[in-house]
Amino acid sequence: MKMGEVELSCLAYAKMYLHASQFPRSSVNGLLLSSSPAGAAVCITDCVPLLHSHLSLAPITQLALTQVDVWCSQTQQRIVGYYQANACVSDSSPTPCALKIAEKIFEQCNNAVLLMIDGEKMFPGCRVPPIVMYERKDARWALKDKHTIMLRQWEETCSIVNQLFSSGDQTLLVDFDSHLDDITKDWTNQKLNAKIMELISPANGNV
Amino acid sequence: MSSISELYDVSWEEMRDKLRKWREENYRNSEQIVDVGEELINEHASKLGDDIWIIYEQVMIAALDCSRDDLAWSCLQELKRQFPDSHRVKRLAGMRLEALERYEDANKLYDSILQDDPTNTAARKRKISILRAQGKSSEAIRELNEYLEHGLSDELTTTTLSCSYAKAAFCLEELMMTNPHNHLYCEQYAEVKYTQGGLENLELARKYFAQALKLNNRNMRALFGLYMSASHIAASPKVSAKVKKDNVKYAAWATSQISRAYQMAGRGKKENKCSVKAVEEMLESMQITMS
């Protein structure tokens, strides 16, 4: 992979999509993680869904960032970005809260990405990934060139997401908010991750 | 009778823009809206594009104010045709029935919306205004409480948060006053105060997180919030030794409660070990920075 390229794994994409679908009338957000070493390119290998209400309130966000940070250091992952889907589907621009959190992440990761989910493109059969990415350039967050964003095996990824919905497994997704409502729920989504990896591996090769 | 455009020498675009301005700034100059809107609709409908629907709505409401049921009816028909299953249009139909004082029929309509969507604020508000119009104040209050119970406070808070933290705090203060036993309002209020920042707000936050816990000792957000606000206060160079000591105690208490809750949750479930460990480490690391 080349300098400035960003790769988004099927696992990360699927969970983001599921998160946004689970709360269609709310804004949702989460963190993007990488298990690859730091380099010129960014490989987003996983994500942690965080909130589905009151995204702009500080305490829970701070709490989540700290916990995810700790979990990452235990599992050899890094926080490399932030995603958000706005409640208002026609507006996929980053909110002040999104920019704030992305800045914080940028302080620790100099090729951090800010990913906005474009609600208008989130329908079955859409040919284009419903995402808009931003990167830090000249002290502001600028739109990333679409050609530097890699979503390998896009059709496979779409089919996996569909399978999750038809098997009802999309309900397995737990975000940090839901975890706080019931702390027996696992915000690291081990169960769902396993299900997705199962769908990825046999016929489809590594996605 | 000459048209508005002739009388005032305005183009249809200017008329449309005027309507938008009145809409955005919530003017209730109904007679003007009816005059301008009616002409715009009758003469220039095809040019308005998708704006026409919101204009129909705006004109319809103004028409009701001016007892122009003919106009209100025709606007409603257009909206019904375009959005046959819409709750928003149903609500407009309800408003027309209210204007005709057909309150039973209006209520039936609103009830059908609420059956579909119990969180529909607009429908509940109309029901409350009908009760007020009929002078049934105790029933109005009952409806108001149901309004608050259906988690609509969340709508209120979300909406006001997008305006400003101060507005959200104000809104929550009212909610706490009328619902002193609701731990969620206390906890949300505390979160807003914490977010606003500064020592005074942090202390308020801590107090309200504690209050939320008194009302519901299993509110994890409140527990974490108490821990975080107390820790920040204790770490502040501006506080007295006594305040620091007190807050260290609060934070320590919160830590033990959090650890206990996570240990009980993690019992027997392998996948929760991640969460438990993460919390333990987080609490440890935060304690180090605090001292």
PDB file of all heavy atoms in Angstrom, chain B residues 138 182 266:
ATOM      1  N   SER B 138     -56.730  19.345  34.434  1.00  0.00           N
ATOM      2  CA  SER B 138     -56.126  18.180  35.112  1.00  0.00           C
ATOM      3  C   SER B 138     -55.827  17.075  34.121  1.00  0.00           C
ATOM      4  O   SER B 138     -54.824  16.371  34.224  1.00  0.00           O
ATOM      5  CB  SER B 138     -57.006  17.673  36.249  1.00  0.00           C
ATOM      6  OG  SER B 138     -58.334  17.603  35.819  1.00  0.00           O
ATOM      7  N   ASN B 182     -36.681  11.047  38.871  1.00  0.00           N
ATOM      8  CA  ASN B 182     -36.153  10.443  37.654  1.00  0.00           C
ATOM      9  C   ASN B 182     -34.631  10.561  37.603  1.00  0.00           C
ATOM     10  O   ASN B 182     -34.083  11.638  37.403  1.00  0.00           O
ATOM     11  CB  ASN B 182     -36.787  11.123  36.443  1.00  0.00           C
ATOM     12  CG  ASN B 182     -36.442  10.423  35.149  1.00  0.00           C
ATOM     13  OD1 ASN B 182     -35.293  10.051  34.922  1.00  0.00           O
ATOM     14  ND2 ASN B 182     -37.424  10.236  34.298  1.00  0.00           N
ATOM     15  N   GLY B 266     -18.956  -9.835  35.038  1.00  0.00           N
ATOM     16  CA  GLY B 266     -18.032 -10.689  34.306  1.00  0.00           C
ATOM     17  C   GLY B 266     -18.088 -12.137  34.724  1.00  0.00           C
ATOM     18  O   GLY B 266     -17.576 -13.015  34.041  1.00  0.00           O
TER      19      GLY B 266
END
